[in-house]
Amino acid sequence: KINRKSLINYIGWIQRSLELSSSDRTVLTASYDADLGYTSLFPVLCSGGELHLLSREQYQSPSGLLGYIRDTGISYVKMTPSLFSTLASAPGFEEYGLEELRYIVLGGEAIRVADVERASNAYGHIRFMNHYGPTETTIGAIAGEIEDLDEFLSRPDIGRPIDGSSVYILDRSGGLLPEGVAGEIGIGGVGV
């Protein structure tokens, strides 16, 4: 169950992070009843922008989705890394002219750095965010922009806590671990 306060916190954070405005457009690339879709659904509408809805067949066709993003001037998308991989490996990916697409938010699975690298080489203006949020949180709890692909490749980083969230690294007994020690992620704050 999502409570209003946690959803409002998340929407505000994503609006600020992606600098959303009424000129933004996004396309839903997942079911609207799953948390993956909420990053597209609520923030753009609360910013006065456009939400584009496609059938599953349309958004699962790499050439169809790439053409749609180009033709409608989609400015940001949230998708799984596996869906993004189908786009980045589509024939002619580099020639689609995705000039208005400025942000790609990837979450739900591990990111394939080669896909981000290919997209960055073709479209240097697109920014990428790694977005993490277990089911127990409201949509996302940890996120970070991928700024240096070489660093991300050698030391993948899921990011930092979003506004209103706190993150702890815990041992198996739930005890707090010192910085730099591997453990389990514990999340607190308004989004839990």
Side-chain angles (χ1 to χ4, degrees):
K1 178 181 174 189
I2 294 178
N3 99 20
R4 223 175 321 169
K5 184 177 180 183
S6 63
L7 183 58
I8 290 168
N9 178 71
Y10 178 79
I11 291 168
W13 170 79
I14 201 80
Q15 285 175 310
R16 288 186 300 280
S17 296
L18 302 183
E19 300 172 351
L20 298 181
S21 72
S22 60
S23 64
D24 279 295
R25 297 175 191 89
T26 192
V27 60
L28 192 61
T29 62
S31 171
Y32 64 86
D33 65 353
D35 61 355
L36 183 86
Y38 297 161
T39 303
S40 298
L41 184 66
F42 297 114
V44 77
L45 293 177
C46 289
S47 299
E50 295 176 15
L51 173 66
H52 294 237
L53 303 175
L54 301 175
S55 69
R56 178 177 291 194
E57 292 76 28
Q58 288 174 298
Y59 71 72
Q60 288 184 342
S61 161
S63 60
L65 183 54
L66 286 165
Y68 190 88
I69 289 169
R70 177 198 59 220
D71 296 344
T72 58
I74 297 296
S75 57
Y76 86 96
V77 293
K78 164 77 185 277
M79 63 181 61
T80 62
S82 57
L83 178 58
F84 178 64
S85 185
T86 66
L87 300 182
S89 59
F93 171 73
E94 294 84 358
E95 285 105 44
Y96 271 92
L98 306 176
E99 299 310 316
E100 293 190 52
L101 182 60
R102 60 184 182 81
Y103 235 117
I104 298 175
V105 180
L106 299 169
E109 306 162 349
I111 293 173
R112 287 190 54 210
V113 177
D115 296 331
V116 175
E117 186 173 38
R118 182 172 184 194
S120 294
N121 289 338
Y123 306 104
H125 67 281
I126 296 177
R127 296 162 65 188
F128 290 87
M129 177 184 285
N130 192 4
H131 186 271
Y132 174 80
T135 302
E136 298 78 15
T137 64
T138 302
I139 308 167
I142 302 170
E145 189 166 333
I146 300 171
E147 296 179 14
D148 183 328
L149 288 174
D150 291 332
E151 184 177 329
F152 189 82
L153 182 59
S154 66
R155 197 174 133 236
D157 183 358
I158 62 172
R160 305 284 175 261
I162 71 163
D163 295 350
S165 291
S166 51
V167 174
Y168 307 94
I169 305 301
L170 307 172
D171 63 24
R172 291 178 191 227
S173 303
L176 192 60
L177 289 169
E179 189 173 323
V181 176
E184 298 292 322
I185 296 173
I187 298 171
V190 71
V192 179

